[in-house]
């Protein structure tokens, strides 16, 4: 926050604090104390920076209110009073649907609101606007709509601001952080990437850049990576507008400056997405270390022993999952690199079934199993895990309330115009297939960048060609069938491919690969952050002319 306020001019400083997992964490906080449920780290940042923001006339818009935006707004007022800083604070509420009783068993149930409440709060003169669960991009589009006076049906302009907001929402992921092409750049510049900012124009176009002299970089690759992150097809739906990602055009507009333009928008869908978190039960795990020879036989022995013990236990876990990770190397110079890891994960609604049963079984085998028996850490009592689900409700059933600095509660009636149900976009024409020629085996990443992430139990993998010449080959080669060959974990799962020619990109959605979402930790990489890098590392026949 301080870097952004001191590094150069800003009109609005936005802060996105709410991942799906964060809502679960805040829900557990609220169970302990109903006065909590917001991101307290925001207050710590604001204590240092509030004076700077007011002095420089920068508005602050944040979704750090989480499950209790009114509580955070009150805390911000208290902070301003303590610092003797005159401050007008407003907040947005209405997203919390838990009190309605429509979602029994849920720990949190929050509709994704748009930017209309933010617009109303800024229009009323707020210096700080606190929201609960709005879409990440709404922090930007709501502020832009107020600045330019856009009408609710200014779809193209709103869509442009939504796209800019999507690029900004994950901070330094747009400026060289988590960037698959990082090795092509000076590593010293990537140690501390600067945060991105957007210069938004009245027509909805934007330039993504960063403050002068900050680390990292902004180029068409960093922006493409973030555009593909956690999105799906050509229609990117939101509460205020559906942005057409197949119309996005990007171009380098100078050093660390990328222009986004041409974005078209459509009327939003008739429903709003609701993020639901519930407690799924209890989870525990133990990781056995298998060293040296006979790895498969050692794994089979301890697995059979554990299965026998757990089967005889009074409280047997209702879910067990074994995974053997072959991190071992033959004739290795260190014990660690000579070892493989065998992971057992158990789940059950009863904590005793995953706690005592597992810990007792692992301890009892310590002197009677495979040679070299040891574990990375003794299993504990088991911990609760969460499950994320998405639901959809009619937008008219969700209140959208702006609580203005003077305390007025204004129903902003967010969007009352026409709506458009989501439908797939007809597949764009593919470029002409490249001519046949000699090939050689090489990693896919020689020609592509990638970024992957999670949406509930699904993963998305965005892949783009780093050159115009590589795009026709990528578009014709990386089919759903080839993706399944390269990533065997996706076999048997529904996979959808979306083609975005203007970005030279393919975006894949893999349904169900993350089980019940990140908090359930169903796989080794529960947020699919490394899925794209795994894909880039896979070898296939690539034309020598491209290499």
């Amino acid at each position: 926050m301080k870097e952004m306020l001191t590094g150069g001019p800003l009109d609005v400083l936005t802060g996105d604090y709410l991942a799906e997992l964060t809502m679960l964490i805040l829900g557990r906080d609220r169970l302990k104390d109903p006065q909590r449920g917001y991101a307290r780290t925001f207050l710590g940042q604001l204590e240092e920076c509030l004076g700077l923001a007011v002095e420089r006339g920068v508005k602050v818009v944040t979704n750090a209110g989480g499950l209790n935006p009114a509580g955070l707004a009150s805390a911000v007022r208290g902070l301003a009073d303590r610092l003797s800083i005159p401050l007008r604070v407003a907040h947005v509420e209405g997203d919390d649907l838990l009190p309605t009783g429509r979602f029994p068993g849920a720990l949190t149930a929050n509709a994704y609101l748009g930017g209309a409440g933010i617009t109303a709060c800024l229009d009323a003169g707020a210096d700080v606007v606190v929201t609960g669960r709005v879409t990440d991009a709404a922090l930007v589009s709501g502020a832009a709509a107020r600045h330019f006076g856009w009408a609710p049906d200014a779809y193209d302009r709103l869509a442009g601001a939504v796209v800019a907001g999507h690029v900004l929402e994950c901070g330094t992921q747009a400026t060289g952080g988590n960037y698959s092409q990082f090795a092509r750049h000076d590593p010293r510049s990537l140690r501390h990437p600067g945060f991105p900012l957007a210069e938004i124009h009245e027509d909805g176009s934007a330039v993504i850049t960063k403050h002068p002299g900050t680390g990292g970089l902004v180029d068409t690759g960093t922006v493409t990576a973030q555009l593909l992150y956690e999105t799906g097809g050509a229609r990117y739906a939101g509460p205020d507008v559906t942005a057409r990602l197949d119309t996005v055009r990007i171009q380098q507009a100078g050093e660390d400056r990328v222009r986004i333009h041409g974005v078209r928008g459509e009327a939003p869908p008739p429903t709003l997405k609701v993020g639901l978190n519930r407690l799924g039960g209890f989870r525990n795990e133990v990781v056995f270390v298998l060293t040296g020879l006979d790895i498969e036989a050692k794994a089979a022995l301890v697995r059979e022993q554990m299965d026998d013990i757990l089967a005889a236990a009074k409280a047997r876990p209702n879910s067990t999952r074994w995974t053997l990770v072959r991190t071992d190397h033959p004739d290795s110079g260190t014990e660690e690199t000579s070892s493989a890891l065998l992971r057992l994960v158990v789940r059950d609604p009863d904590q005793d079934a995953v706690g005592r049963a597992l810990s007792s079984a692992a301890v009892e085998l310590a002197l009677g199993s495979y040679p070299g028996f040891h574990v990375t850490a003794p299993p504990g009592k088991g911990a609760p895990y969460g499950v994320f689900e998405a639901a959809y409700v009619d937008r008219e059933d969700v209140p959208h309330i702006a609580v203005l600095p003077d305390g007025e509660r204004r129903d902003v009636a967010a969007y009352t115009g026409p709506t458009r149900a989501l439908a797939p976009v007809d597949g764009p024409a593919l470029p002409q297939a490249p001519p046949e020629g000699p090939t050689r085996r090489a990693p896919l990443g020689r020609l592509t960048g990638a970024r992957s992430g999670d949406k509930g139990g699904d993963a998305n993998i965005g892949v783009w060609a780093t050159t115009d010449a590589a795009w026709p080959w990528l578009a014709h080669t990386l089919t759903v069938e080839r993706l399944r060959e390269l990533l065997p974990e996706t076999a048997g799962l529904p996979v959808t491919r979306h083609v975005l020619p203007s970005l030279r990109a393919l975006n894949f959605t893999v349904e169900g690969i993350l089980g019940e979402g990140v908090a359930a930790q169903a796989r080794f990489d529960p947020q699919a952050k490394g899925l794209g890098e795994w894909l880039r590392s896979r070898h296939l026949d690539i034309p020598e002319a491209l290499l």
Side-chain angles (χ1 to χ4, degrees):
M1 189 182 288
K2 186 176 181 180
E3 289 177 22
M4 291 302 287
L5 289 169
T6 59
L10 287 179
D11 295 301
V12 180
L13 178 61
T14 62
D16 172 24
Y17 289 73
L18 300 183
E20 291 171 358
L21 180 61
T22 315
M23 298 298 280
L24 174 68
I25 294 169
L26 295 178
R28 293 179 62 186
D29 272 355
R30 186 170 63 176
L31 280 179
K32 299 172 186 173
D33 182 353
Q35 302 304 311
R36 285 160 60 170
Y38 56 79
R40 287 171 287 166
T41 49
F42 170 74
L43 278 178
Q45 293 172 301
L46 198 63
E47 184 163 8
E48 180 184 15
C49 297
L50 182 58
L52 274 173
V54 172
E55 175 187 321
R56 294 169 185 243
V58 178
K59 306 291 188 181
V60 178
V61 180
T62 179
N63 61 15
L67 303 177
N68 187 7
L72 179 56
S74 176
V76 171
R77 291 188 195 95
L79 174 63
D81 290 344
R82 196 165 71 250
L83 298 176
S84 299
I85 297 174
L87 195 70
R88 292 164 293 183
V89 182
H91 72 274
V92 179
E93 58 186 46
D95 60 293
D96 189 355
L97 301 184
L98 202 62
T100 68
R102 295 184 60 175
F103 303 101
L107 178 63
T108 70
N110 294 79
Y112 287 73
L113 301 181
I118 294 168
T119 300
C121 290
L122 291 172
D123 210 34
D127 301 308
V128 176
V129 180
V130 173
T131 78
R133 179 70 281 184
V134 298
T135 63
D136 302 342
L139 302 173
V140 173
S141 63
R146 190 267 166 180
H147 185 85
F148 295 113
W150 292 335
D153 60 355
Y155 299 134
D156 293 347
R157 289 169 168 79
L158 287 167
V162 163
V163 168
H166 179 69
V167 174
L168 297 188
E169 70 187 43
C170 291
T172 51
Q173 280 199 165
T175 56
N178 300 351
Y179 184 38
S180 61
Q181 307 300 297
F182 81 102
R184 301 184 181 187
H185 299 276
D186 182 353
R188 292 172 296 180
S189 72
L190 298 176
R191 290 177 187 168
H192 189 78
F195 276 74
L197 59 89
E199 299 169 356
I200 301 180
H201 297 266
E202 193 281 334
D203 64 356
S205 65
V207 172
I208 305 299
T209 183
K210 60 189 184 70
H211 284 323
T214 56
L217 70 147
V218 179
D219 66 13
T220 55
T222 67
V223 172
T224 297
Q226 187 56 27
L227 282 171
L228 297 174
Y229 181 63
E230 295 182 348
T231 58
R235 284 192 165 104
Y236 184 55
D240 300 320
V241 66
T242 293
R244 289 289 298 262
L245 298 184
D246 55 343
T247 65
V248 175
R249 301 293 186 271
I250 61 174
Q251 65 186 86
Q252 200 73 39
E255 185 178 1
D256 292 323
R257 295 178 64 81
V258 171
R259 182 171 180 251
I260 301 176
H261 61 102
V263 185
R264 302 299 302 274
E266 300 171 343
T271 57
L272 296 180
K273 178 180 175 180
V274 180
L276 303 173
N277 280 289
R278 60 179 173 83
L279 295 178
F282 294 87
R283 177 189 183 278
N284 205 353
E285 72 172 59
V286 59
V287 180
F288 300 92
V289 182
L290 316 174
T291 305
L293 305 177
D294 307 318
I295 296 295
E296 298 285 346
K298 288 172 180 175
L301 173 59
V302 72
R303 179 171 178 170
E304 290 167 1
Q305 289 176 312
M306 287 292 294
D307 285 345
D308 287 346
I309 294 172
L310 291 175
K314 291 181 180 179
R316 175 182 171 83
N318 67 5
S319 170
T320 60
R321 178 172 177 171
W322 291 90
T323 308
L324 177 60
V325 184
R326 295 300 301 264
T327 51
D328 55 304
H329 301 273
D331 194 23
S332 178
T334 67
E335 181 181 343
E336 186 173 8
T337 54
S338 184
S339 300
L341 301 176
L342 178 65
R343 177 177 287 106
L344 168 60
V345 177
V346 297
R347 289 184 171 82
D348 196 274
D350 180 6
Q351 187 172 12
D352 286 344
V354 303
R356 295 174 184 171
L358 189 69
S359 57
S360 296
V363 169
E364 289 167 11
L365 289 179
L367 301 177
S369 188
Y370 61 87
F373 179 102
H374 65 286
V375 296
T376 56
K381 296 179 180 179
Y385 69 90
V387 172
F388 177 86
E389 298 169 317
Y392 294 86
V393 298
D394 291 337
R395 60 174 56 242
E396 57 265 25
D397 293 339
V398 180
H400 194 153
I401 308 298
V403 183
L404 306 182
D406 63 2
E408 177 192 348
R409 298 177 60 83
R410 182 178 299 174
D411 185 346
V412 298
Y415 178 83
T416 57
T419 60
R420 176 173 181 160
L422 285 182
V425 173
D426 292 337
L430 294 180
Q432 184 175 352
E436 297 287 335
T439 64
R440 71 172 184 262
R441 300 288 288 180
L444 177 64
R446 287 284 302 275
L447 302 182
T448 65
R451 178 166 289 165
S452 55
D454 63 311
K455 279 296 177 189
D458 303 339
N460 98 285
I461 311 170
V463 187
W464 74 94
T466 55
T467 64
D468 289 336
W471 167 236
W473 174 84
L474 178 67
H476 286 273
T477 301
L478 194 56
T479 61
V480 168
E481 293 72 24
R482 179 61 61 86
L483 180 90
R484 287 196 172 111
E485 291 174 13
L486 296 173
L487 303 183
E489 283 187 51
T490 66
L493 297 174
V495 178
T496 306
R497 185 179 100 145
H498 307 282
V499 182
L500 300 169
S502 65
L503 299 175
R504 299 190 309 234
L506 306 172
N507 214 351
F508 294 88
T509 301
V510 184
E511 297 179 32
I513 192 170
L514 304 179
E516 295 177 300
V518 53
Q521 296 185 322
R523 71 187 294 271
F524 161 69
D525 174 15
Q527 289 182 286
K529 300 299 186 185
L531 209 53
E533 287 301 289
W534 179 29
L535 177 62
R536 291 182 65 245
S537 75
R538 298 291 284 164
H539 288 228
L540 68 170
D541 294 327
I542 297 178
E544 287 188 354
L546 296 178
L547 293 170

